Amino acid sequence: MRQRWLRVSGIFCLVAGTLLMGLPTTASTQELICRRFDCGTANSPVKAGWIRVTPETIYTPQRGYGWLSPPSTAFDRPEIFVPDWLKPSVRKRFVPDEMLRDGVFDRSELTFRVDVPDGEYWLVVSVGDEQATRRNMSIFANGIPIAEKVTTQTSWGGYATTRTFRKRLRVTGGKLQITFRHEGDGNSVLGMEVISFVPYPLRFVDGKWRTEETDPLFCQGVAALNRKEGQRARKLFDRLRDPLKRAVALTALANDL
């Protein structure tokens, strides 16, 4: 019986992963924001699910996003940089990620605005250039430092590369303004992501499962889980209507088993 339940739990975990990746189907997840901006030229590839942003993407209230201080130019690097001394040994043509291969550039300060409801978000910003090192770039979000004096080059050889930074922050006033400054070679912006922060409904702290959820079934199931009453916890969790909560709860139960 134990082995059978573990097999079933393993299959459920795979399904749970799918649910967690794309959940905008329930009332509790309808307000989630996920906006991804792929900077580049008017003709360079755009990563699936992302929004094309060029130097001409100027902010308007109707659009809800765009440059307040736009870049002067855009670029596209269809191949990953390989130093001359290494080229004779490289037989495969390396194609960069569709978001990382292209971007926008300017030697002046850049500011990009996104209108979003007040709340907590993950901001993810990618900068750099596969063919040109950028020194001492700094990124701010509504005045909050995301990264400061960043140099986009590899530590092992000093070659140009790209870098990605992530920070959790709170937005007030309905707008997020991302500002890029530099003290060296200009600003190269590749992509930006603004994603709602969703607190995980279940945590394991000091040897016990803990939750801040108010759903009675969820709370009773967590209490049963802490008492090692696996069958009762399973029955309670099976009755949860929210697929995210059910997936998290049953995955925790499988982990305990």
Side-chain angles (χ1 to χ4, degrees), residues 48-68:
W50 292 54
I51 300 169
R52 184 188 299 277
V53 171
T54 71
E56 287 71 42
T57 308
I58 306 301
Y59 172 82
T60 65
Q62 294 76 21
R63 178 181 282 153
Y65 64 87
W67 299 105
L68 297 181

Side-chain angles (χ1 to χ4, degrees), residues 27 35 58 110-111 121-122 129 139 141 185 226 239 242 253:
R35 309 196 78 180
I58 306 301
L110 302 175
T111 300
Y121 294 88
W122 285 111
D129 186 333
I139 308 165
D185 309 290
N226 283 326
R239 292 166 57 193
D242 187 315
L253 176 59

Side-chain angles (χ1 to χ4, degrees), residues 133-137 149-153 182-186:
T133 296
R134 305 300 175 199
R135 295 173 295 173
N136 293 329
M137 277 190 65
K149 296 186 177 180
V150 172
T151 296
T152 59
Q153 67 180 25
H182 78 97
E183 299 175 16
D185 309 290

Side-chain angles (χ1 to χ4, degrees), residues 43-216:
N43 300 313
S44 57
V46 176
K47 192 165 185 175
W50 292 54
I51 300 169
R52 184 188 299 277
V53 171
T54 71
E56 287 71 42
T57 308
I58 306 301
Y59 172 82
T60 65
Q62 294 76 21
R63 178 181 282 153
Y65 64 87
W67 299 105
L68 297 181
S69 52
S72 58
T73 188
F75 59 88
D76 182 22
R77 315 299 190 199
E79 293 189 21
I80 290 178
F81 171 77
V82 177
D84 290 338
W85 64 268
L86 191 57
K87 286 181 180 178
S89 303
V90 178
R91 298 180 180 178
K92 182 179 178 180
R93 178 177 177 266
F94 291 95
V95 178
D97 177 270
E98 288 181 333
M99 186 272 290
L100 297 176
R101 65 177 275 174
D102 53 356
V104 296
F105 173 80
D106 202 284
R107 294 191 179 278
S108 300
E109 179 177 299
L110 302 175
T111 300
F112 188 85
R113 171 171 168 168
V114 187
D115 292 341
V116 291
D118 290 0
E120 284 194 82
Y121 294 88
W122 285 111
L123 173 63
V124 186
V125 181
S126 297
V127 297
D129 186 333
E130 281 288 346
Q131 296 183 14
T133 296
R134 305 300 175 199
R135 295 173 295 173
N136 293 329
M137 277 190 65
S138 295
I139 308 165
F140 301 88
N142 289 351
I144 299 171
I146 305 300
E148 295 186 87
K149 296 186 177 180
V150 172
T151 296
T152 59
Q153 67 180 25
T154 58
S155 59
W156 56 270
Y159 298 112
T161 188
T162 64
R163 296 188 65 180
T164 297
F165 302 91
R166 182 176 74 162
K167 190 174 181 68
R168 175 180 156 191
L169 48 82
R170 175 168 288 279
V171 172
T172 58
K175 65 179 180 180
L176 175 60
Q177 292 189 179
I178 310 164
T179 300
F180 302 87
R181 300 172 185 154
H182 78 97
E183 299 175 16
D185 309 290
N187 294 306
S188 289
V189 185
L190 307 176
M192 297 161 283
E193 301 173 72
V194 182
I195 304 170
S196 296
F197 169 75
V198 180
Y200 205 63
L202 192 59
R203 297 175 295 127
F204 193 74
V205 181
D206 297 329
K208 287 186 176 294
W209 291 102
R210 303 182 187 275
T211 182
E212 296 178 2
E213 292 288 327
T214 58
D215 186 320

Side-chain angles (χ1 to χ4, degrees), residues 5 12-13 15-17 19-20 23 25-26 28 200-202 213 215 217-218 233-254:
W5 169 237
F12 184 85
C13 289
V15 176
L19 287 171
L20 293 172
L23 265 182
T25 57
T26 67
S28 62
Y200 205 63
L202 192 59
E213 292 288 327
D215 186 320
L217 285 175
F218 194 87
R234 177 185 174 187
K235 290 178 180 178
L236 290 164
F237 291 153
D238 279 340
R239 292 166 57 193
L240 291 169
R241 299 185 64 183
D242 187 315
L244 172 60
K245 292 180 184 177
R246 189 168 64 250
V248 169
L250 289 174
T251 302
L253 176 59

